[in-house]
Amino acid sequence: MATILVLCLPLPTQAAGTLDKIKASKTIALGYRENSVPFSYVGDDNQPWGYSIDLCIKVVAAIVKQLGLDELQLQWLAVTPETRIAKLKSGEIDLECGSTTSSLTRMQEVDFSLSTFIDGGAYLSRRAAGISRIEDLAGKRIAVAAGTTTERVIAEALAEQRLRAELIKVSDHQQGFAALLRGSVDAYAADRSLLIGLVLDSGMQSQWSLGPETFSYEPYALMMRRNDADFRLTVNRELARLSRTGEIYVIYDRWFGFLAKPGSRLENLYFLNGLPE
């Protein structure tokens, strides 16, 4: 006769989630980018601004309402492509409000909200350089921000075309654009909308040329710690409400409306994000 031995072990204690942390401290730490125009950047008033910042502010308001708080202090912390995941995992920030691509590889370390935007990798050069297609990048020096998905996809695109070019790693988009201004590189590779933001911010729109190719599919999302279903649900509930009510278009128009209406891919994203309660 078989005997079943049952060990009476104590149940594991569940770690406090992000919402518990926020309620106890009445503080939420938000990561932002200093130069990811128009998604997340520092304005003339030294405060974070941008499309992703607006989304995070909406999420914070939803958290305040859900937790029944009278007030919630916002702590803003600057992050870079190289530090954003580490600062999230360490607890320095609770939510990243930047221009981060949601990818399966990154999901091994962090979680993501519903997608907030769709972009793709491209390259920017001076119009006078005559770079109008990817073949023109042969033998050129191309800057790219370290730790971004563009770092990988531009290398793959060049290899696919059997083109040799020198990739110069920089810390962020502003540094890459500054290298273009100095003439120390011939092109800067990043997501298309970020390149447009750099050009618009420069005040020298006629001097630049944006390559016609799009090298990748870049679904942006808000980034948070793994395995915190309650916090992720709160974030997604607010993003779904913005899409369902159409408020997302007001935010889009604020940052992109002067350029164009949302493309079909983004329209479809907003529609699919409008999950019912």
Side-chain angles (χ1 to χ4, degrees), residues 131-197:
I131 299 175
S132 59
R133 55 181 185 166
I134 189 171
E135 288 82 1
D136 297 328
L137 293 175
K140 304 297 186 183
R141 290 165 60 87
I142 307 168
V144 62
T148 62
T149 52
T150 307
E151 181 183 0
R152 173 179 52 81
V153 299
I154 188 64
E156 292 174 349
L158 292 169
E160 185 177 335
Q161 297 292 325
R162 297 182 179 179
L163 300 173
R164 288 191 176 183
E166 184 180 0
L167 295 182
I168 309 297
K169 295 182 182 181
V170 296
S171 62
D172 57 31
H173 303 304
Q174 205 65 37
Q175 191 178 101
F177 191 64
L180 265 181
L181 287 172
R182 292 194 307 269
S184 57
V185 298
D186 304 292
Y188 178 56
D191 291 345
R192 181 172 293 273
S193 61
L194 295 174
L195 295 175
I196 292 172

Side-chain angles (χ1 to χ4, degrees), residues 190-234:
D191 291 345
R192 181 172 293 273
S193 61
L194 295 174
L195 295 175
I196 292 172
L198 290 170
V199 170
L200 292 173
D201 194 48
S202 73
M204 302 179 293
Q205 290 87 330
S206 62
Q207 295 188 23
W208 305 101
S209 175
L210 190 62
E213 302 93 349
T214 299
F215 300 118
S216 60
Y217 165 57
E218 309 286 347
Y220 290 177
L222 306 180
M223 189 165 58
M224 63 199 81
R225 281 180 288 279
R226 287 193 75 190
N227 302 322
D228 194 337
D230 290 339
F231 184 62
R232 187 174 65 248
L233 176 60
T234 297

